[in-house]
Amino acid sequence: MFATIVTAIPTLLTLAGLAYYILALLSARSFLRRPRFSPGFAPPVSLLKPLHGAAPDMLDAFATHCRQNYPADYEILFGVSSLEDSAVPLVHQLQAAFPERSIRLIHTPEVLGLNGKASNVAQLVPHARYEHLVIDDADIHVGPLYLSRTLEPFAPAEGQPPTGLVTAIYRGRAHATLGSKLEALGIATDFVPGVLTARFLDRRLRFGLGSTLAVSRSALDAIGGLAPIASYLADDYHLGSRIANAGFRVELANEVVDTEVPPWSFTGFWHHQMRWARGMRDSRRLGYTGLLFSYGLAWAFLHLIASGASVTAFALFSLTLLVRVSVALGVGVGILGDRQVLRDLWLILPRDLIALALWACSYAGDTVAWGNERLVLRKGLIVSSAAMPCSAAAPNRRPQ
């Protein structure tokens, strides 16, 4: 009886995972077939970029925002909590390189909440000149049509509620380390398929992605601005959720952006994933619990072991692997255009096993590491932070 139960549970979870993979493929198909937004809507826009520390290739990322093929006026505002920040000289270099662009450096010294990035951006908003705001991270690289494609969904549509937020899916630029490759592979083959599946099941998007958060001031005003979410770990999720609950549309832009994945060790990768996992666990509890049924390949491998590598288990594992790879290629390569997926596809099984372990471990505590700080969470809110010893710090910058 015990042996039957041991093999039956991973079998059922594998079948659930197979169903999820098929649903992810249908969601990707739905995304590709969605109606295109009408081009031409191009209002003046303010780009808001919170900074905390410099990083390699950051100046190149900034420069991609200055090379926009955009027909209307736009400005770029950089926010720093300290004028001694190491990113300040990069902003000055950018101003010198692009004198034709309106580029301003804003001091944001107030602490509006324990999420430094959200606090920083909230202080940038009053300095912005325009009705539409685009918020993205310091390490985001964009194409020349980024602003055009991001602002298009704000065009008024007859019979539709107004668009309040537009966000964008993204791919990671991996370095040579194992942690960096695992992170980029997870973005392309697990995270983005999950975003598309949530959009498909909910029949709309109800959250934002930190890679791009384009908002209208009317939507921000309707939710009381950014200050109320300045202590949430997953501020991007809560911004989109509150705007959707206020009756506005949340849309995905017809644009894929790039984010720089640091050269993490495995420990750095684990810290970053655990921070995301515990943030989402508290923000989207039911959906996050349901992730248990999405790790089909990991469950198929565990079933293979539990059954003693039986012929039936091997056949089920092979089928699951085939469908899992189809999701990875269909979304990672087909939609995101991430050629790194082809190079690192052999890591898909260990990555999925690690993801299952992360999911289980995320319920074992309420602390996360971010930069040189350890944060304590309560229902998604950061309730306290404390400095970590240098040897224990997670090797990833905490954006402010």
Side-chain angles (χ1 to χ4, degrees):
M1 179 68 70
F2 178 75
T4 301
I5 294 173
V6 167
T7 55
I9 291 176
T11 301
L12 293 174
L13 290 170
T14 300
L15 293 174
L18 266 173
Y20 169 77
Y21 295 152
I22 294 170
L23 182 60
L25 288 171
L26 291 174
S27 302
R29 180 172 176 266
S30 171
F31 175 73
L32 290 173
R33 293 190 171 190
R34 74 198 188 286
R36 295 291 172 174
F37 302 111
S38 300
F41 185 75
V45 62
S46 298
L47 265 163
L48 312 182
K49 297 185 74 69
L51 303 179
H52 182 64
D57 297 326
M58 185 178 282
L59 186 59
D60 290 339
F62 294 168
T64 63
H65 293 73
C66 296
R67 301 190 185 105
Q68 291 299 298
N69 182 9
Y70 192 66
D73 291 336
Y74 72 94
E75 62 176 353
I76 307 176
L77 278 62
F78 293 94
V80 288
S81 58
S82 168
L83 293 176
E84 302 301 317
D85 194 288
S86 57
V88 169
L90 298 182
V91 177
H92 293 324
Q93 291 181 49
L94 190 74
Q95 290 171 324
F98 296 92
E100 73 281 9
R101 293 295 179 208
S102 175
I103 302 170
R104 289 187 282 157
L105 180 68
I106 308 296
H107 188 205
T108 57
E110 295 182 58
V111 178
L112 303 180
L114 292 178
N115 183 324
K117 173 187 171 183
S119 177
N120 188 327
V121 175
Q123 294 171 72
L124 284 176
V125 171
H127 295 273
R129 296 191 181 107
Y130 302 123
E131 163 67 18
H132 290 87
L133 314 172
V134 175
I135 306 161
D136 64 13
D137 290 336
D139 58 357
I140 295 294
H141 296 249
V142 301
L145 297 177
Y146 170 67
L147 285 180
S148 294
R149 291 173 175 169
T150 301
L151 273 296
E152 282 173 0
F154 285 102
E158 187 176 351
Q160 296 272 356
T163 298
L165 183 143
V166 178
T167 191
I169 53 178
Y170 58 95
R171 55 188 169 239
R173 292 185 175 185
H175 287 76
T177 63
L178 177 63
S180 189
K181 289 180 178 180
L182 288 171
E183 178 75 16
L185 185 67
I187 291 170
T189 68
D190 185 17
F191 175 72
V192 173
V195 169
L196 299 182
T197 301
R199 173 185 172 274
F200 183 72
L201 290 176
D202 290 343
R203 299 180 182 273
R204 57 173 177 161
L205 207 60
R206 299 188 59 87
F207 53 85
L209 307 175
S211 58
T212 292
L213 296 165
V215 298
S216 65
R217 285 185 185 270
S218 56
L220 270 186
D221 291 342
I223 64 167
L226 291 170
I229 63 171
S231 284
Y232 279 96
L233 180 64
D235 57 289
D236 50 357
Y237 175 89
H238 286 280
L239 177 62
S241 177
R242 291 181 180 216
I243 288 175
N245 290 337
F248 293 87
R249 284 163 37 220
V250 177
E251 298 284 359
L252 272 178
N254 295 323
E255 180 78 351
V256 177
V257 301
D258 292 304
T259 185
E260 199 74 25
V261 179
W264 285 325
S265 63
F266 182 81
T267 301
F269 161 75
W270 180 274
H271 278 306
H272 182 262
Q273 286 292 302
M274 186 59 70
R275 190 177 80 235
W276 177 88
R278 287 181 173 161
M280 290 310 300
R281 177 200 67 185
D282 292 344
S283 300
R284 192 179 170 91
R285 287 185 174 273
L286 185 60
Y288 184 79
T289 302
L291 288 180
L292 173 68
F293 304 104
S294 69
Y295 303 116
L297 184 59
W299 289 119
F301 181 73
L302 295 175
H303 174 237
L304 185 64
I305 295 174
S307 68
S310 68
V311 173
T312 302
F314 185 78
L316 183 58
F317 174 79
S318 300
L319 175 62
T320 307
L321 178 62
L322 176 64
V323 183
R324 177 70 178 98
V325 168
S326 298
V327 173
L329 297 179
V331 177
V333 179
I335 292 179
L336 296 180
D338 188 351
R339 310 294 293 183
Q340 298 169 126
V341 172
L342 299 174
R343 181 196 66 195
D344 298 330
L345 197 57
W346 65 277
L347 287 170
I348 196 103
L349 175 58
R351 191 267 158 203
D352 283 6
L353 288 168
I354 293 167
L356 178 58
L358 275 159
W359 178 87
C361 291
S362 70
Y363 287 99
D366 292 300
T367 63
V368 296
W370 197 353
N372 62 352
E373 293 179 85
R374 186 176 297 280
L375 311 179
V376 179
L377 306 178
R378 291 289 182 273
K379 296 182 178 180
L381 283 165
I382 306 170
V383 296
S384 67
S385 64
M388 295 171 59
C390 291
S391 59
N396 50 299
R397 294 180 304 107
R398 179 180 178 182
Q400 296 287 343

